Amino acid sequence: MKEECGIFGIYSSRGLGVAEEVYLGLSALQHRGQESCGIAVSNDGKFSFKREGGTVLDVFDEESLSELGNGQIAVGHVRYDPFGRGGRESAQPLVLKYAHGSLAVCNNGALTNRYELRAELERDAAIFQTDTDAELIAYIIARERIRSGSIETAMANAMDKLQGAYSVLIMSPHKLIAARDPLGIRPLSLGKIGGSWVVASETCAFDTIGAEFVRDIEPGEVIMLNHEGLHSIKAKKAAKSALCIFEYVYFSRPDSVLMGQSVHLARRLAGKILAQEHPIEADLVCGVPDSGIDAALGYAEESGIPYGIGLVKNEFIGRVFIQDTQQKRERLVSIKLNALSAAVKGKRIVLVDDSIVRGTTCTRIVGLLREAGAKEVHVRISSPPFVHPCFFGTDIKSKESLMANRLPHDGLCKALGADTLGYLSVAGIRSIAPQAQTGFCDACFTGEYPIEVPEEIPFDKYSHKIKVSGGKS
Amino acid sequence: MKEECGIFGIYSSRGLGVAEEVYLGLSALQHRGQESCGIAVSNDGKFSFKREGGTVLDVFDEESLSELGNGQIAVGHVRYDPFGRGGRESAQPLVLKYAHGSLAVCNNGALTNRYELRAELERDAAIFQTDTDAELIAYIIARERIRSGSIETAMANAMDKLQGAYSVLIMSPHKLIAARDPLGIRPLSLGKIGGSWVVASETCAFDTIGAEFVRDIEPGEVIMLNHEGLHSIKAKKAAKSALCIFEYVYFSRPDSVLMGQSVHLARRLAGKILAQEHPIEADLVCGVPDSGIDAALGYAEESGIPYGIGLVKNEFIGRVFIQDTQQKRERLVSIKLNALSAAVKGKRIVLVDDSIVRGTTCTRIVGLLREAGAKEVHVRISSPPFVHPCFFGTDIKSKESLMANRLPHDGLCKALGADTLGYLSVAGIRSIAPQAQTGFCDACFTGEYPIEVPEEIPFDKYSHKIKVSGGKS
Amino acid sequence: MKEECGIFGIYSSRGLGVAEEVYLGLSALQHRGQESCGIAVSNDGKFSFKREGGTVLDVFDEESLSELGNGQIAVGHVRYDPFGRGGRESAQPLVLKYAHGSLAVCNNGALTNRYELRAELERDAAIFQTDTDAELIAYIIARERIRSGSIETAMANAMDKLQGAYSVLIMSPHKLIAARDPLGIRPLSLGKIGGSWVVASETCAFDTIGAEFVRDIEPGEVIMLNHEGLHSIKAKKAAKSALCIFEYVYFSRPDSVLMGQSVHLARRLAGKILAQEHPIEADLVCGVPDSGIDAALGYAEESGIPYGIGLVKNEFIGRVFIQDTQQKRERLVSIKLNALSAAVKGKRIVLVDDSIVRGTTCTRIVGLLREAGAKEVHVRISSPPFVHPCFFGTDIKSKESLMANRLPHDGLCKALGADTLGYLSVAGIRSIAPQAQTGFCDACFTGEYPIEVPEEIPFDKYSHKIKVSGGKS
Amino acid sequence: MKEECGIFGIYSSRGLGVAEEVYLGLSALQHRGQESCGIAVSNDGKFSFKREGGTVLDVFDEESLSELGNGQIAVGHVRYDPFGRGGRESAQPLVLKYAHGSLAVCNNGALTNRYELRAELERDAAIFQTDTDAELIAYIIARERIRSGSIETAMANAMDKLQGAYSVLIMSPHKLIAARDPLGIRPLSLGKIGGSWVVASETCAFDTIGAEFVRDIEPGEVIMLNHEGLHSIKAKKAAKSALCIFEYVYFSRPDSVLMGQSVHLARRLAGKILAQEHPIEADLVCGVPDSGIDAALGYAEESGIPYGIGLVKNEFIGRVFIQDTQQKRERLVSIKLNALSAAVKGKRIVLVDDSIVRGTTCTRIVGLLREAGAKEVHVRISSPPFVHPCFFGTDIKSKESLMANRLPHDGLCKALGADTLGYLSVAGIRSIAPQAQTGFCDACFTGEYPIEVPEEIPFDKYSHKIKVSGGKS
């Protein structure tokens, strides 16, 4: 399972090294998307940019950062496209010119009314060069700007049209604008370093560059940063905010703090509740690296069963090539993970992970532990089963593709080869973030969407027509 | 001096290998632009494309051609941007979606009313992601299409708005459209191979893929190719056509035939008239490789002075690196060209080239010949001096940058180190293409523009604001 | 600190996919060297090979593995050169032809008499194209082979000449030979998969490809694998074997088992002994990822202080670029590691790592913990201080470069910014591998070398003369 | 047909930019080999080097030249391997260390006694890491050096052992040595620029860097350049020198002067004699670009038939990809060459080329001319038919592969589709270089080898065993 994007922006009063700060900030957000990335810089209103398929380290180096040059403002983006549309052609920031000069736009989220917006714009002869929501948002802003006195007002007004999840950064020649949808579905935080303001999807990016956290951008808030400082517009607040609960379970880095809640502590708490809900007698609690480690620690704390390392990850394996055979996927797991026989032999193991998607990986891991001599393997999952599609940018495509849906609980346990299987309850997941000053969206578990959603995820109307082969693959 | 673009399209009834035919066709048009290139394919209405900075051989290989897949229609583009805006970001075809589906647009030319068009579109909240005329044309077509029954009618109607030079290819899911501006400033020809129609900037591309020439697209004509065959719309014809005369002198390949006139024969004839206008007693006529060879042959034929090889080109030298010193440019000439001492020693040489731009290269070549022992060097140029800027896509920026303008004739001859110097007259250049069924634009020599032109070449209003660093170079 | 090499070989009776097995096996050994790598294959006696600077995933892909083709035997190598001699030019396997056909040679180790051997060979007009011990070993074998009846006997006889550490793989057209020096300083294990024999530096490589462990190659043993099976020559056994104790502390992967001892358990035991030797009152035991995690678990087990995660690693950061400033090294640590404020705030932390080399990294990590709110930081190191140079292939250059040597214990503790500092004792380190059926070399801690060593590490006599710029730049 | 190598060396008293001079010199020699290249530099005795598969422009750039650093001496090599052994692994200079320090060795030529030398060295336990003669020569020199007082004497003494063709450059820490075999089969010239000596395969490399030609290295001569200047040893002169006559016909650049004879004039003279030997009534003489242009000029001069351009080359086409079909080879010719219909239509054409190897290319070119409307095509070849293999480094593998051998004259003419066919006679070719102060080897035409040759070309004894897959991936 993969989240779609991370964004990072900086407004610097001194204007030195903004591209490098964005580069470092994006590298801290790399877990949010490895498909493509980009940085745009405004130097006294002149824009330069680079965007490309690949990770931040693949795409940027000393030379390309130096070509971006110095500037006062910069924005950047890392992307995973949940709908599989290719690398470079949908890389952001989207850089464009319109009636009032230049803009660079980055987005994290997914609009639920993209079809309607697109159709409306096309009726007015708009042309679209990408499949991104960023391009839709740019068009809406360009239209609003004509009737509004400033780009930040245009963004605030655009909120009446945009539905769904969006955390947006907009760079104009002399301003940096950040906005978050009224539900606050995706995170966005404000920080400060020296005399410069920074905005990032997660606070871990602030730690990486040495910035201090100031506050979260509020759901429905637009902030504008320029040489006079920070201006906030409370554009449009929903009755109840709805941060994606999966940001705590999986997407965000454990060292981030979202809306006041430490991600690490939320995961540990999930593990503790899981231990209360699904206790078992065992000798060792192990987490699946790296996604299950924090919850495993919590499970061990609560249960009193010792925490240990049962699986070792090969940290050098990225895109390993192996012959395409029936056993390929299974073999891939063995190449990336190895069971630690010396630790698990003859032991009853509690194996903790954050979720089950297709189930093949989990099945293979249970097998590895058994081959290494584990006597029992009890699988514990620190979130409830996915049973509803996500319309807000998470790659959970449909009910059919979710293994948890296809099998009854016993059948699933058997298919995994586990002795017992326990999921965190919905009540449990709703308790993992007690310090978060926000409501949650947990629709993927409950079907209770915070706003009306369309019947189908609006991702294939256009993309089936264009197969992009551009980009270095 | 460099021309801006070449375009190639194919409509195949059988639908095999269209990407490869475009690849080969573009490779034959590579002399028209080496900065970027691209190919888009429609396979039953699904588009795939790749575009990138670099030459056709740099960008495409077996793998990328195979990724483009099979299809029935394909269009491609090679680009030199006369205004220096970077590689990949303005590579074409422009691929887009609009109210009626997908389009791919390629253009060769330069609009004279781009500012007006852009401003008008921006007032309606259009956003621009490139600096290309192709994007402007795409917007105009998208607007016209809403009021027109077909994409070819939309293109024909768009001609009322577009001013200047444009040879355009448009691929819709099931049609290939080709159009040429009313003046016919840039060339565009129609050919056939097996059951497939092909369209190319120059006929040499037909020879390369084994297609036969059918006819030139007429100035102001729009043709549409689909499964029913060819349909022509005589959209808008100017009183007098005005093919860029420099297509014969420099841009086109000698083996192309434009509007009925062989480029090779036009150059030979230019050399003959030059010999009549500027005769001299000499022992050997040499051309500057490769631009001056044909005219040198003509000069030799007419004058009776033997034709010979006086300069040898290093064919392996492309982007050679040399230390950046004062002598750098001079040294570069010596690396690329060597005087053939055995042939020129003690001889009186007539040195023929097609034009003088900055003069440094010519000065160095005269020097090489003298160092190799030439007794006299008489420079003959097979076109008149440039004295007026080109608004139709040729890279002759301003009066100031033209050496021929800065110096009086005697001073220039002296600066080149030549014994005598002779340019073809305006009357002469007007006589070099007797078989061409078209009028000419020779405004760069005469200032007589075929249509009204703005005061300044419209190239820097936007581009000064965006410095694109994208693309791996 | 870095180890120098990993080796992997396969002899397959069926001869399918040997290159891919070596590729996967090397990827499991990648932690032993990321500077260069290579694979050589023998297909019915015909050799093909590729070697290059970079990691296994950088260098090999589907295409290059397929170019290596099928075969019955293959050997591979990953390399870190402790003496800084560059990438590709010293990549192995060394492939050569001599009087009896072709050979491919891979080595892990360091000869102590390389000067003497080289001088002797040069007196007989030998020429050297690399600085590797593999080339020296190849020469010695080629000489011995002339007097010996087989390549395996030649290898056995060569042991009389070679002094120091070497684990060697030799591929002849129809045999795979593996040999280990009489002290058994570097590990080497034998495994089996289907009908194929495999040899690897560590057993984790067997797990990765699904092979089963058979036994360790004995110190001083030569084994030969061919179509008749396995033949062993007990060439030359030292009175006492001396496996490098640092293989347990740092070099090997935790999931490997060397000479009967699990690496993971050795590290946990080191942590336990450390807790006995240097107890402290604290709230949380944290390991430095990933090198200190296992020992931290052991420390927590023994001390009863809870184990927790105090530092989060950015797993996407490889060769990040940052401006070269005074703070560069410090900043690099912050980019790669982040302190988990939610976990460490207000706590007394025991920070466990396996060793201190220069001390800058440790100092910065202590700083990160304090900035994140840690009340106390107690540094515990699971090995004794390095005080003697390693002559057997480990990158511990000299007494001077070792921070632990430059400062007295109290000064060091203060320099690190720690509240207390404790090292594992020499007696302690000698107790961490109770199940290992071997003696140890712990000379880096004690100065007690298992054989006579020269006054200086023999690494710079030649290399100062050749600076290789080849390889991937 | 392709020649195997070019070499370039420099000894600079000032020691600035030697790597760049070699880079430029090699780029002028690129026509002698595009498979691999390399440069080695000695800076106060320290060597740095880079070598790689590809052309000089592919392999070297500003960064790699700067990494090579400054120095006083440098040597470089471009290679085409006539025996097809792969790119990088046999790239030169060979850089090695031996009893007296470091050496870099480059060679152009082919030894006829390589088997005997190799066997003799292997009996003394030599190991070979390449298939190059350079490695054999290095071994012989290393052996001789032990008994000789200097490297230049060692080279001179080595001449007693080496048989066949070799032009060699040797760089020791403080000397540059150049040597040419006693027959002088391959060229080698001495030049001077400022205070620096330069040595190159051809004089065109001197022109490129602005050096002046001093003299040819004599057959059998060894010269040594060091801080005291030039020292010459007349090591071993054959009774009669034997420069490869094909250097004039094909290998060398027309602007080079070998042993006093201009290559361009030799080719023109070949064309003149050809016109005398095979006159025909015709309207136009065309050369096949670029190899037949000079001889075509000579044919036109002598015959009085006008010279013209009948074929246009696409200068951008390098390694174009086309689908592998039956018509592939034919199609490749059409992509690279186009007939100039306007020039050849209705004409009787004399088509001049320097040689016929397989005949497919020539057949296709005749076809192109006929399709373009040529009334008659008379093929004239400016050298006799190849009927004997070359043992001295030219890629003429065996009698069987030579089309000229497979068919009688009339059959060949018919197969080409030509109206008539004429070859230069043996007497003719012996007359084309009247100013050359040397004898010739014309054994490929006559079978009269200047020294005894083995029964088979010694190229496949070893290479069938090692298939190198290294090089550019």
PDB file of all heavy atoms in Angstrom, chain A residues 123-136:
ATOM      1  N   ARG A 123     -15.628  22.386 -21.322  1.00  0.00           N
ATOM      2  CA  ARG A 123     -16.672  23.111 -22.042  1.00  0.00           C
ATOM      3  C   ARG A 123     -16.242  24.527 -22.385  1.00  0.00           C
ATOM      4  O   ARG A 123     -16.704  25.119 -23.344  1.00  0.00           O
ATOM      5  CB  ARG A 123     -17.958  23.148 -21.197  1.00  0.00           C
ATOM      6  CG  ARG A 123     -18.814  21.890 -21.357  1.00  0.00           C
ATOM      7  CD  ARG A 123     -20.192  22.085 -20.762  1.00  0.00           C
ATOM      8  NE  ARG A 123     -20.171  22.346 -19.325  1.00  0.00           N
ATOM      9  CZ  ARG A 123     -20.186  21.405 -18.368  1.00  0.00           C
ATOM     10  NH1 ARG A 123     -20.208  20.119 -18.701  1.00  0.00           N
ATOM     11  NH2 ARG A 123     -20.173  21.731 -17.097  1.00  0.00           N
ATOM     12  N   ASP A 124     -15.327  25.071 -21.591  1.00  0.00           N
ATOM     13  CA  ASP A 124     -14.766  26.391 -21.891  1.00  0.00           C
ATOM     14  C   ASP A 124     -13.461  26.296 -22.662  1.00  0.00           C
ATOM     15  O   ASP A 124     -12.633  27.212 -22.634  1.00  0.00           O
ATOM     16  CB  ASP A 124     -14.529  27.164 -20.586  1.00  0.00           C
ATOM     17  CG  ASP A 124     -15.840  27.593 -19.952  1.00  0.00           C
ATOM     18  OD1 ASP A 124     -16.888  27.507 -20.630  1.00  0.00           O
ATOM     19  OD2 ASP A 124     -15.814  28.016 -18.790  1.00  0.00           O
ATOM     20  N   ALA A 125     -13.240  25.155 -23.329  1.00  0.00           N
ATOM     21  CA  ALA A 125     -12.088  24.980 -24.217  1.00  0.00           C
ATOM     22  C   ALA A 125     -10.747  24.853 -23.501  1.00  0.00           C
ATOM     23  O   ALA A 125      -9.699  25.133 -24.080  1.00  0.00           O
ATOM     24  CB  ALA A 125     -12.033  26.083 -25.274  1.00  0.00           C
ATOM     25  N   ALA A 126     -10.763  24.404 -22.270  1.00  0.00           N
ATOM     26  CA  ALA A 126      -9.488  24.135 -21.597  1.00  0.00           C
ATOM     27  C   ALA A 126      -8.813  22.919 -22.225  1.00  0.00           C
ATOM     28  O   ALA A 126      -9.481  22.021 -22.739  1.00  0.00           O
ATOM     29  CB  ALA A 126      -9.719  23.871 -20.108  1.00  0.00           C
ATOM     30  N   ILE A 127      -7.485  22.892 -22.194  1.00  0.00           N
ATOM     31  CA  ILE A 127      -6.748  21.701 -22.637  1.00  0.00           C
ATOM     32  C   ILE A 127      -5.928  21.187 -21.461  1.00  0.00           C
ATOM     33  O   ILE A 127      -5.441  21.966 -20.636  1.00  0.00           O
ATOM     34  CB  ILE A 127      -5.833  21.991 -23.849  1.00  0.00           C
ATOM     35  CG1 ILE A 127      -4.724  22.992 -23.498  1.00  0.00           C
ATOM     36  CG2 ILE A 127      -6.660  22.528 -25.020  1.00  0.00           C
ATOM     37  CD1 ILE A 127      -3.753  23.242 -24.636  1.00  0.00           C
ATOM     38  N   PHE A 128      -5.790  19.871 -21.383  1.00  0.00           N
ATOM     39  CA  PHE A 128      -5.089  19.262 -20.246  1.00  0.00           C
ATOM     40  C   PHE A 128      -3.887  18.472 -20.735  1.00  0.00           C
ATOM     41  O   PHE A 128      -4.007  17.614 -21.602  1.00  0.00           O
ATOM     42  CB  PHE A 128      -6.041  18.354 -19.463  1.00  0.00           C
ATOM     43  CG  PHE A 128      -7.088  19.134 -18.722  1.00  0.00           C
ATOM     44  CD1 PHE A 128      -8.317  19.411 -19.298  1.00  0.00           C
ATOM     45  CD2 PHE A 128      -6.815  19.637 -17.450  1.00  0.00           C
ATOM     46  CE1 PHE A 128      -9.260  20.163 -18.632  1.00  0.00           C
ATOM     47  CE2 PHE A 128      -7.761  20.392 -16.778  1.00  0.00           C
ATOM     48  CZ  PHE A 128      -8.988  20.658 -17.372  1.00  0.00           C
ATOM     49  N   GLN A 129      -2.734  18.757 -20.161  1.00  0.00           N
ATOM     50  CA  GLN A 129      -1.520  18.082 -20.591  1.00  0.00           C
ATOM     51  C   GLN A 129      -1.093  16.995 -19.607  1.00  0.00           C
ATOM     52  O   GLN A 129      -0.118  16.288 -19.854  1.00  0.00           O
ATOM     53  CB  GLN A 129      -0.403  19.100 -20.816  1.00  0.00           C
ATOM     54  CG  GLN A 129      -0.771  20.084 -21.926  1.00  0.00           C
ATOM     55  CD  GLN A 129       0.316  21.106 -22.181  1.00  0.00           C
ATOM     56  OE1 GLN A 129       1.491  20.780 -22.255  1.00  0.00           O
ATOM     57  NE2 GLN A 129      -0.072  22.361 -22.315  1.00  0.00           N
ATOM     58  N   THR A 130      -1.761  16.908 -18.465  1.00  0.00           N
ATOM     59  CA  THR A 130      -1.444  15.856 -17.503  1.00  0.00           C
ATOM     60  C   THR A 130      -2.755  15.294 -16.956  1.00  0.00           C
ATOM     61  O   THR A 130      -3.827  15.806 -17.263  1.00  0.00           O
ATOM     62  CB  THR A 130      -0.609  16.381 -16.305  1.00  0.00           C
ATOM     63  OG1 THR A 130      -1.507  17.078 -15.416  1.00  0.00           O
ATOM     64  CG2 THR A 130       0.487  17.317 -16.733  1.00  0.00           C
ATOM     65  N   ASP A 131      -2.659  14.249 -16.130  1.00  0.00           N
ATOM     66  CA  ASP A 131      -3.843  13.712 -15.458  1.00  0.00           C
ATOM     67  C   ASP A 131      -3.885  14.116 -13.997  1.00  0.00           C
ATOM     68  O   ASP A 131      -4.581  13.506 -13.201  1.00  0.00           O
ATOM     69  CB  ASP A 131      -3.837  12.180 -15.562  1.00  0.00           C
ATOM     70  CG  ASP A 131      -4.417  11.733 -16.890  1.00  0.00           C
ATOM     71  OD1 ASP A 131      -5.543  12.132 -17.184  1.00  0.00           O
ATOM     72  OD2 ASP A 131      -3.732  11.001 -17.609  1.00  0.00           O
ATOM     73  N   THR A 132      -3.129  15.148 -13.636  1.00  0.00           N
ATOM     74  CA  THR A 132      -2.996  15.477 -12.223  1.00  0.00           C
ATOM     75  C   THR A 132      -4.103  16.414 -11.743  1.00  0.00           C
ATOM     76  O   THR A 132      -4.609  17.244 -12.493  1.00  0.00           O
ATOM     77  CB  THR A 132      -1.660  16.188 -11.955  1.00  0.00           C
ATOM     78  OG1 THR A 132      -1.654  17.419 -12.672  1.00  0.00           O
ATOM     79  CG2 THR A 132      -0.487  15.334 -12.407  1.00  0.00           C
ATOM     80  N   ASP A 133      -4.431  16.270 -10.478  1.00  0.00           N
ATOM     81  CA  ASP A 133      -5.314  17.243  -9.846  1.00  0.00           C
ATOM     82  C   ASP A 133      -4.647  18.613  -9.780  1.00  0.00           C
ATOM     83  O   ASP A 133      -5.325  19.648  -9.774  1.00  0.00           O
ATOM     84  CB  ASP A 133      -5.665  16.789  -8.424  1.00  0.00           C
ATOM     85  CG  ASP A 133      -6.673  15.655  -8.427  1.00  0.00           C
ATOM     86  OD1 ASP A 133      -7.234  15.337  -9.501  1.00  0.00           O
ATOM     87  OD2 ASP A 133      -6.894  15.060  -7.358  1.00  0.00           O
ATOM     88  N   ALA A 134      -3.341  18.641  -9.735  1.00  0.00           N
ATOM     89  CA  ALA A 134      -2.630  19.922  -9.683  1.00  0.00           C
ATOM     90  C   ALA A 134      -3.005  20.788 -10.879  1.00  0.00           C
ATOM     91  O   ALA A 134      -3.158  22.008 -10.759  1.00  0.00           O
ATOM     92  CB  ALA A 134      -1.111  19.688  -9.643  1.00  0.00           C
ATOM     93  N   GLU A 135      -3.152  20.167 -12.055  1.00  0.00           N
ATOM     94  CA  GLU A 135      -3.506  20.949 -13.253  1.00  0.00           C
ATOM     95  C   GLU A 135      -4.935  21.473 -13.132  1.00  0.00           C
ATOM     96  O   GLU A 135      -5.210  22.629 -13.493  1.00  0.00           O
ATOM     97  CB  GLU A 135      -3.342  20.076 -14.498  1.00  0.00           C
ATOM     98  CG  GLU A 135      -3.299  20.881 -15.791  1.00  0.00           C
ATOM     99  CD  GLU A 135      -3.061  19.994 -17.014  1.00  0.00           C
ATOM    100  OE1 GLU A 135      -3.121  18.751 -16.873  1.00  0.00           O
ATOM    101  OE2 GLU A 135      -2.829  20.541 -18.103  1.00  0.00           O
ATOM    102  N   LEU A 136      -5.826  20.640 -12.614  1.00  0.00           N
ATOM    103  CA  LEU A 136      -7.193  21.106 -12.372  1.00  0.00           C
ATOM    104  C   LEU A 136      -7.213  22.280 -11.406  1.00  0.00           C
ATOM    105  O   LEU A 136      -7.874  23.301 -11.634  1.00  0.00           O
ATOM    106  CB  LEU A 136      -8.034  19.966 -11.775  1.00  0.00           C
ATOM    107  CG  LEU A 136      -8.661  18.981 -12.750  1.00  0.00           C
ATOM    108  CD1 LEU A 136      -9.235  17.799 -11.988  1.00  0.00           C
ATOM    109  CD2 LEU A 136      -9.755  19.675 -13.559  1.00  0.00           C
TER     110      LEU A 136
END
